[in-house]
Amino acid sequence: MDNSKGTVFCATFLKLAVLLTLARHVSAKTLKYQVYEEQKVGTVITRLREDVADVLSKLPSSIPLRFRAMQRGSASLLSVRDQDGEISIRTKIDREKLCEKNLNCTIEFEVLTLPTEHLQLFHIEVEILDINDNAPQFARSVIPIEISETAAVGTRIPLDSATDPDVGENSLHTYSLTPSDFFKIDILTRTDGAKYAELVVLKELDREVRASYELQLTASDRGVPPKFGTTLLKISIADSNDNNPVFEKPSYVINLLENSHLGSLLIDLNATDPDEGTNGKIVYSFSSHVSPKILETFKINSDNGHLTLTRKVDFETTNSYDIDVQAQDMGPNSMPAHCKVIIKVVDVNDNKPDISINLMSTGNEEIAYISETAPVDTFVALVRVDDLDSGLNGEVECRLHGQGHFKLQKTYEKNYMILTNVTLDREKRSEYSLTVIAEDKGSPSQSTMKHFTVQVQDENDNAPTFEKTRYEISKVENNSPGAYLSSVRASDPDLGPNGQVSYSILESMVHGSSISTYVTIDPSNGDLYALRTFDREDVSQISFLVQARDSGSPLLRSNVTVMLTVLDENDNKPVIMMPQLWNHTADVPVSKYAEAGDMVTVVRAIDRDADANGDLSCSFIGGNDAGYFNIDTKTCEIRTNVSMQDIPVDHVELTVQVEDHGAQPMSTRALLRLSLYENIENNMNPHLTGGGTAESPLDISMIIIISLGAICAILLIIMVAFALRCSREKKDTRSYNCRVAESTYQQHPKKPSRQIHKGDITLVPTVNGTLPIRAHHRSPTSSPGPERALMGSRHSQHSRQSLNSLVTISSNHIPENFALELTHATPPVEQVSQLLSMLHQGQYQPRPSFRGNKYSRSYRYALQDMDKFSLKDSGRGDSDAGDSDCEMGRDSPIDRLLGDGFGDLFHSDGHHRLHPGEKRSPAGLYVHVRPC
């Protein structure tokens, strides 16, 4: 450790001990520092603004704080700067003058922060550390000592003590003596801790051999570097005197009241000497090395040894004295006898308490000012009480005499604060007279009183204060929007508009959304409400700030944190991840040679709920009546109960239920189809059996990615197929597509532009059931006679096959409730005429029916066998005679409608002319209706 005077010890270390925290405004902290003595004027010890930044950070940053020192006594050695609370040395400090030998040398004072609306109290203790600036020193440079040659070995002679005003390691530590065969020193300690030396005779002395000795006595401390003080012992050997005086006891202890009167007899010392005459006459005196302070305070009668008090003692200054007394006869070569008298000063209650009141007023030190709107426990004044007595005599009780509007509260040790006890009202009373009374516990007790005045001023300086520093609330998920959550409360002691508190929620973001979309607050009473239904699985906790502000001028506000926890509700079913399910079903292969206890598969499931709501268990609820398998309710492992070779069936369907443990349990079921295989490797699916999950488990994200990829691929294929089909249909203008016409009608059901005429219907021969693509450009008025004549050459037996060909009719105007009632009795000509009439009138309309991958039209006939009438079209205008809905040889409604007379109707020459290269098809005719 550097002992340089220019270095401050212990770079401003803090031992913060929070001794008091008042309700709202005032807090008390003790700040302890250390500094070496003898530092230069202006040396900085610390800056309070930095050391108490944690406290000041809680105060409004807009307030310019000032520091004021409430100094007393030795505190004037230090100065405190107003702006930042910098504590520096005002006057060079000498620890030895300030505290003498007191080990604890501390300068104590209080520092307040202004203005008083944001007052903070700090108790400052600056310990003054000692440096080794003093060397041990003897009162005499030469100490004469006379010893009789007859002195016995072990004879002890007290020596002068050295003094060192330093303390601790720098104080007097030990003595040393020049080596000698006849003398040594013993180092002893007094009751006050001071060390002294006694000279001890080691060998018998012979004056005739050596009449004197000179030895150097050295006193040293343990400073760095150590310092020394020396004195010379001149020892003279005297001729023997037969008998020396002897005290009754080597030491005496006396208790002396500090209020003892001067001249009081302390002790009657008595030494005896058997010699007669002058050799037996004893003279009492203090030893030559006693301090001047003892000589001033006490007196010993040389003739009778009476020790008396000559000066008042003070326990608070010195509480004990060590006095060395010697008795010596008047004979030649006398050898003195020594004894020690220890006087202990007893404290008495001789000091009144001292009261010091520090007010925050300027100009008048007897008046304190306070706002009428000041809340309870507002600081008014600082009181310090001191009593120099010790024990009960120094214990002081302090009380405040007044009207109950103020109270006295102890902060630490001897300091008190006067605080407001109620809210003051200047209009009712503008001035108070207070009296501080301090009384010690001595017997009899002593007391002191001091008066001061408090004036009430009008001021508004209180911000709303929340009841809690943090609100923690909870709400069960799936609440209804507008549900009540909780309330936050803030109070403002001001009156009128200054005390009207309103609430708001400060803007913040929660999972990318504004907090205002989650909760709202009633600005008048602080009630919190939910604005949405909470889902714990999405948001489990929401933190936001609520601000309370008054309507005063200036407007004051304060914030509090509200933590909303969304509690879980059992609102999620378990989801089975393994084995992979399709339509709640999974196929699980099982080895036919599996033995009892072998694992078949593992059911893995997840539940987004928490705690018991997400704790899952598995069980069989069906399919295991024979007990072939068992399932672990916790791990959900399915194992065999028996050897699979003993099972008489090859397939087992097990229904597994996964259930959570919520108050209202939710469950999921899965059907596991277990199939026995001899060669299990060829049928093993690790995603179904669970056996491969340890090596290559498919997590849910991979499954989702694969599924999305498959869906996109399917959609792309469908879009390409539709594009190709649309492109082909646009190119095909030679045929009429009834499916497209019907689809167009369903999307745009409006009346056609013109009526259908008989000329729009043509009969086209087919080749092997395939319709040749031909273009027909006819007007509605043109005669269909020539083609009908060609077609009429066919006989009635061919007409039935022709009608089994695809009939494509564009008829968008027949009502759905129309029933076509035709019989075989109706002549063929009338049947066709009736059909054409209906087409002409727009009364015949098909109804679409989607069945799987087939597109069929069901016509509302009185006929019951509707499945025989199928118009599956390829979209190219040709007839699909091989469709499952159109079987050759079965009667269709058209067959019965037209009958055998169809050919006679159009028969002209009985022959049909084939185009070059055409062959007659078994289905000989195709009815073609020109598009409208």
Side-chain angles (χ1 to χ4, degrees):
M1 182 184 297
D2 187 7
N3 64 342
S4 173
K5 292 186 178 181
T7 304
V8 177
F9 171 78
C10 192
T12 314
F13 79 93
L14 273 177
K15 297 179 181 178
L16 294 179
V18 179
L19 301 175
L20 175 70
T21 301
L22 296 180
R24 293 186 178 171
H25 294 283
V26 184
S27 64
K29 286 191 176 182
T30 296
L31 308 178
K32 295 185 179 181
Y33 304 91
Q34 291 179 327
V35 64
Y36 276 120
E37 62 173 333
E38 303 293 341
Q39 297 296 309
K40 295 187 299 183
V41 174
T43 298
V44 177
I45 299 174
T46 188
R47 290 182 177 86
L48 293 179
R49 184 178 290 276
E50 300 173 0
D51 296 342
V52 297
D54 58 331
V55 177
L56 301 182
S57 64
K58 301 176 183 178
L59 303 179
S61 58
S62 59
I63 303 299
L65 294 178
R66 305 188 309 277
F67 294 85
R68 174 178 295 182
M70 316 300 290
Q71 294 182 343
R72 59 179 186 276
S74 58
S76 59
L77 298 173
L78 304 175
S79 63
V80 179
R81 191 160 63 187
D82 291 350
Q83 295 87 339
D84 56 2
E86 178 185 275
I87 302 177
S88 59
I89 296 177
R90 175 183 294 174
T91 305
K92 184 175 288 189
I93 301 172
D94 186 350
R95 187 188 186 284
E96 289 71 38
K97 290 183 179 178
L98 181 64
C99 303
E100 296 183 353
K101 296 292 289 185
N102 192 345
L103 291 177
N104 183 19
C105 185
T106 304
I107 299 176
E108 298 183 19
F109 58 97
E110 283 70 44
V111 173
L112 303 177
T113 59
L114 299 177
T116 56
E117 292 81 358
H118 304 283
L119 183 140
Q120 301 293 321
L121 172 64
F122 305 106
H123 179 66
I124 309 299
E125 294 183 4
V126 180
E127 182 180 1
I128 308 302
L129 300 178
D130 183 50
I131 63 173
N132 196 19
D133 57 342
N134 294 283
Q137 186 174 5
F138 290 95
R140 296 180 291 176
S141 59
V142 177
I143 301 176
I145 300 174
E146 188 177 51
I147 303 176
S148 173
E149 62 178 341
T150 59
V153 174
T155 300
R156 310 176 74 88
I157 302 169
L159 299 178
D160 290 7
S161 297
T163 58
D164 190 337
D166 294 328
V167 295
E169 298 292 326
N170 299 324
S171 65
L172 177 64
H173 174 61
T174 189
Y175 295 90
S176 61
L177 184 67
T178 304
S180 172
D181 294 335
F182 293 91
F183 302 97
K184 72 170 186 175
I185 58 173
D186 272 352
I187 302 172
L188 304 174
T189 304
R190 294 193 180 96
T191 56
D192 59 357
K195 294 183 178 181
Y196 66 96
E198 289 184 348
L199 187 66
V200 181
V201 178
L202 296 178
K203 293 182 179 180
E204 292 184 356
L205 303 175
D206 189 348
R207 184 179 182 282
E208 286 69 28
V209 175
R210 187 171 180 178
S212 65
Y213 297 86
E214 290 188 358
L215 303 176
Q216 182 171 289
L217 179 64
T218 303
S220 61
D221 58 31
R222 287 198 298 181
V224 181
K227 292 192 174 184
F228 307 93
T230 61
T231 186
L232 183 62
L233 302 181
K234 285 192 173 183
I235 303 173
S236 301
I237 309 301
D239 285 337
S240 65
N241 188 357
D242 291 342
N243 296 289
N244 297 321
V246 176
F247 283 101
E248 294 178 352
K249 294 191 298 184
S251 64
Y252 301 87
V253 177
I254 300 172
N255 290 325
L256 176 63
L257 297 176
E258 65 173 334
N259 61 349
S260 296
H261 299 292
L262 298 180
S264 299
L265 177 64
L266 305 182
I267 190 174
D268 181 8
L269 296 175
N270 185 23
T272 59
D273 190 334
D275 293 333
E276 295 181 354
T278 56
N279 292 334
K281 183 175 176 58
I282 299 175
V283 176
Y284 299 91
S285 64
F286 294 124
S287 296
S288 58
H289 60 269
V290 298
S291 65
K293 187 174 183 179
I294 292 177
L295 296 177
E296 294 173 358
T297 307
F298 304 98
K299 178 181 179 182
I300 190 169
N301 190 305
S302 59
D303 294 331
N304 54 25
H306 289 178
L307 183 64
T308 56
L309 180 66
T310 59
R311 186 177 180 180
K312 283 282 188 180
V313 293
D314 188 355
F315 173 86
E316 288 70 35
T317 303
T318 306
N319 57 13
S320 67
Y321 297 89
D322 285 12
I323 304 174
D324 290 317
V325 178
Q326 66 180 16
Q328 189 174 11
D329 61 30
M330 300 295 294
N333 304 321
S334 172
M335 183 67 186
H338 298 272
C339 78
K340 183 178 291 293
V341 178
I342 300 174
I343 298 177
K344 294 184 176 181
V345 180
V346 178
D347 183 44
V348 295
N349 194 17
D350 58 341
N351 293 287
K352 287 185 175 182
D354 178 65
I355 300 175
S356 174
I357 300 179
N358 292 310
L359 307 176
M360 289 295 98
S361 57
T362 55
N364 193 335
E365 295 300 328
E366 294 184 355
I367 299 178
Y369 299 95
I370 188 169
S371 168
E372 66 169 340
T373 58
V376 176
D377 295 330
T378 297
F379 175 82
V380 177
L382 180 65
V383 178
R384 181 178 176 87
V385 178
D386 292 292
D387 194 320
L388 297 177
D389 295 325
S390 62
L392 293 176
N393 298 328
E395 292 184 14
V396 179
E397 289 184 349
C398 190
R399 61 182 184 272
L400 180 66
H401 179 71
Q403 292 75 26
H405 293 79
F406 301 89
K407 64 181 179 181
L408 190 69
Q409 184 165 330
K410 189 173 185 178
T411 57
Y412 50 85
E413 203 172 348
K414 301 177 181 180
N415 282 40
Y416 298 82
M417 285 191 295
I418 297 177
L419 309 172
T420 57
N421 200 31
V422 296
T423 301
L424 304 179
D425 189 348
R426 188 188 66 85
E427 288 72 26
K428 292 181 178 179
R429 186 167 182 174
S430 60
E431 187 174 287
Y432 296 86
S433 178
L434 303 181
T435 302
V436 178
I437 303 173
E439 185 176 7
D440 61 32
K441 297 181 180 180
S443 181
S445 63
Q446 300 208 46
S447 61
T448 303
M449 293 189 300
K450 199 162 188 178
H451 307 276
F452 71 99
T453 301
V454 177
Q455 287 187 356
V456 181
Q457 291 183 323
D458 186 17
E459 188 176 355
N460 176 32
D461 60 347
N462 294 288
T465 303
F466 285 95
E467 296 175 352
K468 300 178 182 178
T469 58
R470 176 188 176 95
Y471 287 85
E472 295 187 0
I473 61 178
S474 60
K475 187 68 177 177
V476 179
E477 63 177 332
N478 300 321
N479 59 286
S480 59
Y484 171 77
L485 298 177
S486 184
S487 298
V488 295
R489 294 289 185 265
S491 59
D492 192 325
D494 296 333
L495 301 176
N498 298 327
Q500 294 178 357
V501 180
S502 60
Y503 303 87
S504 62
I505 297 177
L506 298 183
E507 179 61 29
S508 62
M509 302 300 291
V510 178
H511 292 270
S513 299
S514 172
I515 186 62
S516 60
T517 65
Y518 284 86
V519 293
T520 186
I521 191 170
D522 189 325
S524 62
N525 56 24
D527 290 343
L528 292 168
Y529 298 92
L531 287 179
R532 63 167 64 180
T533 299
F534 297 137
D535 187 353
R536 189 203 65 83
E537 287 71 34
D538 293 336
V539 179
S540 60
Q541 200 170 61
I542 303 172
S543 178
F544 55 94
L545 290 177
V546 174
Q547 184 178 91
R549 55 184 180 182
D550 59 27
S551 302
S553 179
L555 186 146
L556 301 176
R557 66 194 73 190
S558 59
N559 300 335
V560 70
T561 299
V562 178
M563 183 65 68
L564 170 61
T565 301
V566 181
L567 302 180
D568 185 48
E569 189 175 58
N570 195 16
D571 58 344
N572 289 284
K573 285 185 176 182
V575 178
I576 297 177
M577 308 301 298
M578 297 290 292
Q580 187 173 349
L581 302 179
W582 297 99
N583 196 21
H584 303 287
T585 305
D587 293 324
V588 180
V590 182
S591 174
K592 197 169 186 178
Y593 304 103
E595 298 296 331
D598 290 351
M599 188 172 72
V600 176
T601 186
V602 178
V603 178
R604 303 191 187 280
I606 61 173
D607 193 322
R608 297 181 65 196
D609 294 324
D611 300 327
N613 296 330
D615 189 11
L616 305 179
S617 60
C618 301
S619 62
F620 289 136
I621 62 172
N624 195 38
D625 297 337
Y628 296 146
F629 304 92
N630 68 73
I631 186 168
D632 189 307
T633 58
K634 292 298 183 183
T635 63
C636 296
E637 294 179 352
I638 299 178
R639 296 182 180 273
T640 59
N641 261 342
V642 297
S643 175
M644 293 294 99
Q645 298 182 28
D646 298 336
I647 297 180
V649 295
D650 291 335
H651 301 278
V652 178
E653 292 188 353
L654 299 177
T655 303
V656 177
Q657 176 175 277
V658 181
E659 185 177 50
D660 59 35
H661 294 170
Q664 296 179 350
M666 303 186 75
S667 62
T668 299
R669 298 181 181 181
L671 178 63
L672 304 184
R673 295 174 176 169
L674 276 60
S675 302
L676 300 182
Y677 296 97
E678 292 187 0
N679 190 357
I680 187 66
E681 288 78 5
N682 295 336
N683 300 277
M684 181 65 69
N685 186 348
H687 303 300
L688 297 176
T689 64
T693 57
E695 297 179 358
S696 58
L698 281 177
D699 61 7
I700 188 170
S701 61
M702 183 60 68
I703 294 175
I704 293 175
I705 292 173
I706 294 174
S707 301
L708 291 176
I711 293 172
C712 293
I714 293 172
L715 290 176
L716 181 61
I717 293 172
I718 293 174
M719 292 173 63
V720 171
F722 271 106
L724 292 176
R725 180 174 177 178
C726 292
S727 176
R728 183 168 59 249
E729 290 176 351
K730 287 182 179 180
K731 293 179 180 179
D732 185 7
T733 60
R734 295 172 296 175
S735 62
Y736 178 75
N737 192 330
C738 292
R739 188 186 304 275
V740 176
E742 177 192 352
S743 175
T744 304
Y745 168 76
Q746 291 175 351
Q747 297 178 7
H748 306 283
K750 60 185 180 180
K751 192 172 182 179
S753 60
R754 66 183 178 85
Q755 301 295 329
I756 298 176
H757 300 277
K758 297 179 181 180
D760 295 332
I761 301 176
T762 61
L763 303 181
V764 183
T766 61
V767 180
N768 294 328
T770 304
L771 178 68
I773 306 301
R774 302 181 62 181
H776 300 277
H777 304 281
R778 297 181 181 177
S779 64
T781 60
S782 63
S783 174
E787 281 195 39
R788 291 184 179 181
L790 289 174
M791 300 304 296
S793 62
R794 302 297 298 170
H795 294 90
S796 62
Q797 62 268 20
H798 299 296
S799 64
R800 183 175 299 277
Q801 295 179 353
S802 300
L803 290 174
N804 283 330
S805 300
L806 179 63
V807 178
T808 306
I809 300 176
S810 177
S811 53
N812 298 330
H813 309 283
I814 298 177
E816 290 186 0
N817 58 358
F818 176 80
L820 180 62
E821 298 182 359
L822 297 175
T823 65
H824 290 286
T826 307
V829 176
E830 295 181 10
Q831 294 176 0
V832 174
S833 299
Q834 186 175 353
L835 175 61
L836 294 176
S837 176
M838 289 185 294
L839 293 173
H840 178 74
Q841 296 174 6
Q843 298 176 350
Y844 190 78
Q845 176 180 350
R847 183 178 59 183
S849 176
F850 293 87
R851 294 186 296 174
N853 60 353
K854 296 184 178 181
Y855 186 94
S856 63
R857 302 181 187 275
S858 299
Y859 294 84
R860 306 196 59 177
Y861 292 93
L863 307 176
Q864 297 180 356
D865 192 4
M866 302 304 293
D867 290 338
K868 296 179 181 180
F869 187 64
S870 175
L871 297 177
K872 180 177 180 182
D873 187 75
S874 64
R876 300 189 301 270
D878 57 340
S879 174
D880 189 357
D883 287 347
S884 61
D885 290 325
C886 182
E887 299 181 6
M888 301 301 296
R890 296 181 60 182
D891 291 341
S892 68
I894 297 298
D895 293 336
R896 293 191 296 270
L897 174 65
L898 301 178
D900 296 335
F902 186 84
D904 297 335
L905 177 66
F906 298 99
H907 179 72
S908 59
D909 57 359
H911 299 284
H912 170 66
R913 298 179 184 276
L914 298 175
H915 293 279
E918 289 184 353
K919 294 182 181 181
R920 186 172 302 281
S921 171
L925 295 177
Y926 176 75
V927 180
H928 180 77
V929 180
R930 291 180 57 194
C932 301

